[in-house]
Amino acid sequence: TIASGALLATSAAQHAQIILQAWRQHGWPGAIIGSIVDKDGALSATRNGRPQPFPLFTTDEITKLWM
């Protein structure tokens, strides 16, 4: 988990909906927010179907633990 209480999880694409359904049965929200591509794939983000730049953070939640 991240300090905000968020949980990032990865799974094979064919299992994602099964996992989300199980979470819903426990009252846990979840969403598919991305996919893993081959090493040569381009890094990109989309929001509402439009390309978005990735934000740059000088410090993230994990880094704050050691500051």
Side-chain angles (χ1 to χ4, degrees):
T1 63
I2 300 174
S4 64
L7 170 67
L8 294 177
T10 60
S11 77
Q14 66 267 27
H15 300 301
Q17 291 301 327
I18 296 166
I19 293 167
L20 289 175
Q21 182 179 6
W23 287 359
R24 278 188 224 102
Q25 290 174 348
H26 289 282
W28 304 337
I32 297 171
I33 62 168
S35 61
I36 298 173
V37 298
D38 290 333
K39 183 178 177 183
D40 295 330
L43 294 176
S44 63
T46 58
R47 177 172 282 160
N48 298 322
R50 302 188 117 144
Q52 296 290 312
F54 283 104
L56 297 175
F57 300 100
T58 56
T59 304
D60 63 25
E61 294 298 319
I62 302 301
T63 306
K64 289 178 186 177
L65 294 173
W66 288 277
M67 298 184 87

